[in-house]
Amino acid sequence: MNLAAPAAERHRAMLRRILPVYFEDLEESLFDALLADLTIRDVAAGDVLFRQDEPSGDLYFVLRGRLRAVRVEDGRARVLGEIARGETIGELSLFTGEPRSATIVALRPSTVARLTRPDFERILSLKPSIAIATARLVIDRFRRAERVPARRGRAATICLAPLTPGVDARALGAALADALRALGDGGVGLLAQAEAEDGLDRAEHHYDTLILIADDEPTDWTRRATQAADDILLVADARADQCLTGIERSLIGENRGHAVARRSLVLLHAPETRAPSGAAHWLDSHAVDRHFHLRRGAARDLARLARALAGRSIGMVMSGGGARGFAHVGVLRALEEAGIEPDQLGGSSMGAIIASFPACDLRGRDLVEAVRAVFDPSPTRDYNLLPMTALLRGRRARTACERTVIGMNGALIDIEDCWRPYFLVASDITHNAEAVLRRGSLARALRATFSIPGVFPPVPVDGRLMVDGALCNNFPVDVMEQQGVAAIIGSDVLAENAAAIDGPELPPDWRLLIDRLRPREKRRWRVPGLIDLLVNAPMLGSAARQREMRRRVDFLVRPDAAAFGHLDWGAFDAIVAQGYEAARRALDGAEATTLAKLR
């Protein structure tokens, strides 16, 4: 590696930190031998490092910047993932020599160090145990590639850019650095301005994670900081005006047509804020990829942001299932006792309703009692005398949803006002498509995801008619995979083989009625009622997809609630207990590595 100082020294320092991760027990002499074989290459933003199907054999270490792996399959491009500073590219080619499986393109100006296959084999002859560490790396990369789509990973360089007056970006940066260190990332640096001509370059090579504090206007330093960042946090006081700032205008103008860092909006709230409001105006006014709500001084909120930036967010998905969904409450209780708190939540039908409570930051006994109150009185007893669209009028359901949102937040809010990122799935019968709801009225979305066709009337949402999300996707793990989380918890209450009967024909209705009046444990026939039939029949089409989704979660809980019907609202405590016990068993049987990913 022949470079003039100080660049050569910076690269040497960076490689001194990277190489031992991939080459075990790296003595100084072996490190020097490796260093002599490496070739340094700068890659401009948008340039290709190598293309899919090209001959391979070289391994690359990323010293600076960020790159993306893209593979074309059946004429369609699929993003496999992103490679940050400190990571490698092309490990498999060292063993197979097969053509490149993907195209690698630089998202921003990057620097890589290349090790050829002949040079690797020479180093291997000096220390054969290196092959074991490299093989582990290849296996780990294969495991991560099994996720569809790929998970984004950590942000190595973060830029905090204040949008409104009164934002102390440096104080927030210092607190965020502490939160990142608490996750085990000890090498976190904070840089408010370029200390010297090469201050930013030196800092990038010195720290595993670097937080840059931009000025509150588009200065040269702000431009350098935003261009160097993997993730730009636009920080604003939530009570301020939502005007487009000079920083954002600069970002839009300079990056038009180019790959840019992910932009996140961070809205700061007063410590006593019960629930955010007005996030829609911010999101309409500012071009961002995602947003976070932070109460000033709230360690839990800051820790959630840190996990997102470190690529360690935990998502939780809950399935539909009517009253059986009360089991999700027990699952949440068991997870909380185990010190596991999901950062993002989502679900379908009843699962989406239960997921809204932790999304609005309810926990513990408050969550349990809030869910209990929603279904007392039952939302399914306002029968429609003229059933043009449904057996029920749906007024009780609408009142229950609005009462729920107000009870949790003190007012009607939108989905984007939840403290934690949250989505719901509904079925769009206007366009015969699945609908993922991430914005708009929370109460209306809750009605939509739960509106069983034929039981509840369809719910208009943005000019489209929505019904129960269970018809399309009753366990939307695939939607959560799109959120960039590191691990997914799944709680699935789908009952298998819940209905069974002896004999060639069903008993007459009057005998079923008498049987239904008996205590549950003494009933002779397990025949679903009219509402259960209306609920179960449409879900048959998505049942196979639901089983597939189970295989794609990192930690699965399957409460056995088959003994309960979809409308057994009065069995709240018993169903919650089922969920709690199922989650405890799953936690007790989980591998230590799985639990480590969830904490």
Side-chain angles (χ1 to χ4, degrees):
M1 182 176 69
N2 299 313
L3 280 177
E9 287 306 311
R10 289 199 304 269
H11 294 322
R12 181 185 178 90
M14 187 66 180
L15 288 165
R16 167 50 78 188
R17 293 166 53 229
I18 295 175
L19 292 179
V21 176
Y22 303 100
F23 303 105
E24 292 181 341
D25 303 323
L26 194 63
E27 301 97 347
E28 192 66 28
S29 60
L30 197 58
F31 173 74
D32 290 336
L34 267 170
L35 210 62
D37 291 333
L38 293 173
T39 302
I40 302 299
R41 175 180 171 185
D42 291 321
V43 189
D47 283 359
V48 172
L49 180 64
F50 55 74
R51 297 186 182 278
Q52 182 176 336
D53 297 327
E54 284 183 354
S56 66
D58 298 339
L59 173 66
Y60 292 89
F61 300 92
V62 181
L63 306 181
R64 180 177 66 100
R66 197 173 191 92
L67 302 99
R68 174 176 290 165
V70 180
R71 183 162 64 210
V72 176
E73 299 173 330
D74 300 324
R76 299 180 62 183
R78 171 190 163 200
V79 175
L80 300 180
E82 294 180 5
I83 306 100
R85 172 165 46 90
E87 297 182 339
T88 60
I89 307 169
E91 308 89 352
L92 186 60
S93 67
L94 292 176
F95 292 93
T96 66
E98 295 179 353
R100 298 292 186 184
S101 61
T103 296
I104 304 297
V105 60
L107 295 180
R108 61 182 180 86
S110 304
T111 302
V112 297
R114 186 186 70 172
L115 179 67
T116 67
R117 188 177 183 185
D119 288 333
F120 173 75
E121 290 173 345
R122 185 175 62 81
I123 296 296
L124 196 61
S125 67
L126 299 175
K127 192 174 183 63
S129 63
I130 286 177
I132 298 174
T134 309
R136 289 198 197 106
L137 180 68
V138 172
I139 292 170
D140 180 64
R141 185 62 58 90
F142 264 122
R143 286 174 175 170
R144 282 186 285 166
E146 290 175 356
R147 290 289 179 188
V148 182
R151 296 176 182 178
R152 191 176 192 271
R154 72 181 183 92
T157 305
I158 302 159
C159 174
L160 268 62
L163 289 186
T164 60
V167 171
D168 189 343
R170 186 175 184 89
L172 177 60
L176 182 58
D178 289 339
L180 288 166
R181 293 186 190 104
L183 295 175
D185 190 351
V188 183
L190 192 67
L191 192 64
Q193 58 182 350
E195 298 171 350
E197 181 69 23
D198 60 349
L200 176 56
D201 291 335
R202 283 190 289 106
E204 277 195 307
H205 285 80
H206 184 70
Y207 296 105
D208 294 322
T209 303
L210 180 62
I211 300 174
L212 308 177
I213 308 300
D215 299 326
D216 56 5
E217 54 186 350
T219 61
D220 288 342
W221 164 244
T222 294
R223 280 189 285 272
R224 287 191 67 195
T226 55
Q227 288 171 2
D230 299 318
D231 215 318
I232 300 172
L233 304 185
L234 302 171
V235 187
D237 186 323
R239 298 167 296 183
D241 294 333
Q242 299 100 15
C243 60
L244 189 66
T245 66
I247 290 178
E248 287 181 290
R249 281 192 289 270
S250 175
L251 285 173
I252 293 170
E254 292 177 8
N255 296 314
R256 192 181 305 276
H258 300 285
V260 297
R262 178 166 53 186
R263 275 178 266 182
S264 304
L265 175 66
V266 177
L267 295 174
L268 301 178
H269 302 268
E272 68 279 5
T273 303
R274 181 174 178 182
S277 62
H281 298 298
W282 283 98
L283 296 175
D284 290 340
S285 304
H286 302 267
V288 295
D289 301 298
R290 58 181 180 173
H291 71 287
F292 298 91
H293 293 288
L294 265 67
R295 284 159 287 206
R296 297 178 189 268
R300 285 177 57 235
D301 294 352
L302 194 64
R304 187 162 54 248
L305 174 61
R307 287 192 293 271
L309 295 170
R312 292 178 57 178
S313 286
I314 306 302
M316 183 171 182
V317 180
M318 304 181 196
S319 76
R324 295 167 182 162
F326 289 150
H328 300 312
V329 177
V331 174
L332 286 167
R333 176 187 159 201
L335 292 174
E336 186 175 334
E337 290 178 357
I340 298 170
E341 181 174 297
D343 301 298
Q344 302 189 39
L345 296 119
S348 185
S349 195
M350 185 64 167
I353 292 178
I354 302 300
S356 71
F357 290 85
C360 292
D361 215 27
L362 268 72
R363 308 167 74 228
R365 179 53 56 182
D366 290 339
L367 187 153
V368 174
E369 294 308 317
V371 177
R372 186 198 305 274
V374 173
F375 297 91
D376 185 19
S378 166
T380 55
R381 291 181 182 169
D382 54 343
Y383 295 102
N384 198 343
L385 296 178
L386 188 62
M388 297 295 292
T389 60
L391 295 175
L392 304 179
R393 291 181 294 174
R395 292 180 182 176
R396 282 196 177 192
R398 180 175 62 191
T399 300
C401 289
E402 292 175 352
R403 189 176 70 240
T404 297
V405 175
I406 293 173
M408 290 191 293
N409 305 286
L412 292 173
I413 66 168
D414 291 333
I415 301 169
E416 55 266 47
D417 291 323
C418 293
W419 285 111
R420 307 186 209 183
Y422 167 66
F423 69 83
L424 311 87
V425 171
S427 299
D428 177 358
I429 59 174
T430 300
H431 298 99
N432 297 318
E434 177 182 326
V436 180
L437 306 179
R438 294 187 177 92
R439 296 190 59 183
S441 165
L442 177 57
R444 182 173 292 271
L446 292 176
R447 284 173 55 208
T449 191
F450 190 67
S451 288
I452 304 162
V455 179
F456 294 104
V459 178
V461 177
D462 296 330
R464 301 172 291 166
L465 289 178
M466 301 286 180
V467 295
D468 195 344
L471 274 70
C472 286
N473 192 352
N474 196 41
F475 193 34
V477 173
D478 50 346
V479 179
M480 182 60 78
E481 287 178 333
Q482 303 276 351
Q483 307 303 109
V485 295
I488 298 176
I489 300 168
S491 181
D492 182 9
V493 297
L494 176 67
E496 304 282 2
N497 302 320
I501 188 169
D502 295 326
E505 299 291 342
L506 288 177
D509 288 349
W510 65 269
R511 297 190 69 179
L512 289 174
L513 176 60
I514 293 173
D515 190 59
R516 196 71 54 83
L517 296 175
R518 296 188 179 105
R520 185 186 308 277
E521 64 276 6
K522 295 183 179 181
R523 291 176 187 172
R524 180 177 176 183
W525 297 291
R526 298 177 64 190
V527 179
L530 174 61
I531 300 297
D532 282 317
L533 286 171
L534 288 172
V535 172
N536 283 327
M539 289 172 54
L540 294 176
S542 63
R545 182 179 184 183
Q546 187 163 345
R547 296 185 184 99
E548 166 61 25
M549 291 300 103
R550 291 176 193 156
R551 292 191 284 269
R552 289 164 63 166
V553 302
D554 298 275
F555 179 73
L556 177 65
V557 182
R558 293 206 57 212
D560 182 9
F564 303 95
H566 280 80
L567 305 183
D568 276 343
W569 311 120
F572 178 83
D573 291 313
I575 301 175
V576 170
Q578 288 274 14
Y580 177 80
E581 293 302 325
R584 288 302 322 165
R585 289 192 299 271
L587 288 165
D588 291 341
E591 296 180 356
T593 53
T594 298
L595 295 177
K597 291 170 64 177
L598 303 179
R599 292 192 171 105

